[in-house]
Structure formats: C-alpha cells, structure tokens
Amino acid sequence: MAPNPDIRASDADRDRVAASLREHCAEGRITMDELQERLDAVYGAKTVGQLQEVTSDLPEEDLYQLPVPANQAKGTASPARRPSGDLATQRMPAMWGAWATVSAINLTVWLIILVTSGAVYPWWIWVAGPWGAVLLMRTIFGGRQDDR
C-alpha cells in the first residue's frame, strides 16, 4: 500500500529518495545537473507526495527496501558519498582546477611578499606539492571505490 502523499516526509525518507536518485544517475538515467536539481527538490520536500513527484518519471523502486545509512538511524548527518567509476573521472578536472586556483593564489601572495620585502622562503610549495602529488596519484591510479 502506498503511503498517504500528504504525510510529512522524514529525514530518512529524503535520504532514501536521494540514494535512489544517485543510483539512477550512476545508471545513466539522469544527468549530473538533473541529479543536483532533483536533490535540491528532495531536501526541500515537506511531504511524501513531493518526494514521489521527484522520482515519478523514473522506474519504480521500493524506497523502503533501500537501507537507511547507519549514521542516519542514529540521527547524525550523513557524509557525502565518495564518487566511484565514471563519476570520479568527471570530477577530476574540478579537483585539478581547485588545486590550480589555490596554488596560483598562494604563488601570487608569495610573489607580492618577495617583491615588497626581498628573499622569502617558498612556503607555497608545501601547499601545492603534497596536494598536487595526491591528485596526480589519484589521476594515475584512480580513487578509492565505495564498499557496496
């Protein structure tokens, strides 16, 4: 029996729908942009009916069969899921972009200090170097896969 659509949705209900949407995205039914739009709608939903509207065009799943994350059962906030497979590959340019931006800002600050006060230790290398090395290893060998 389907729940009454006017019943208020719980955090666990929203988390179940969000997990379902992530699976649909991983299977290629919705795009990353669509996923973000739908997740915004899910976390803004007040009733079960609003949650059902978000997934009405997707193949039905029994949302109550999806497990609630263990930390949600205890009432704590759920951590972001680590991307796997193609999703991690899609995010790699963003990670490199963040590294390049932060490195450029640090280098610029260092150059300003160098020009205004003379010789300065190149401290920005300690920010750019380890972070860049981790990203390089992740790019070459791939990221950690989720346990499923």
Side-chain angles (χ1 to χ4, degrees), residues 78-89:
S78 66
R81 289 185 57 187
R82 187 174 282 273
S84 62
D86 291 333
L87 189 55
T89 304

Side-chain angles (χ1 to χ4, degrees), residues 2 20 24 29 52 55-63 66:
S20 172
H24 286 297
R29 289 190 184 101
Q52 291 170 341
T55 59
S56 64
D57 64 332
L58 297 171
E60 286 196 29
E61 291 181 272
D62 185 2
L63 298 179
L66 292 173

Side-chain angles (χ1 to χ4, degrees), residues 26-101:
E27 293 174 7
R29 289 190 184 101
I30 58 176
T31 65
M32 288 297 294
D33 292 334
E34 225 178 336
L35 173 65
Q36 188 58 48
E37 290 172 12
R38 289 177 187 232
L39 286 176
D40 290 342
V42 164
Y43 289 113
K46 293 187 181 349
T47 66
V48 173
Q50 289 172 327
L51 291 177
Q52 291 170 341
E53 288 175 16
V54 173
T55 59
S56 64
D57 64 332
L58 297 171
E60 286 196 29
E61 291 181 272
D62 185 2
L63 298 179
Y64 294 98
Q65 296 300 320
L66 292 173
V68 175
N71 56 359
Q72 279 302 314
K74 296 177 186 172
T76 59
S78 66
R81 289 185 57 187
R82 187 174 282 273
S84 62
D86 291 333
L87 189 55
T89 304
Q90 292 172 357
R91 290 190 178 170
M92 195 58 66
M95 288 188 268
W96 277 108
W99 173 84
T101 301

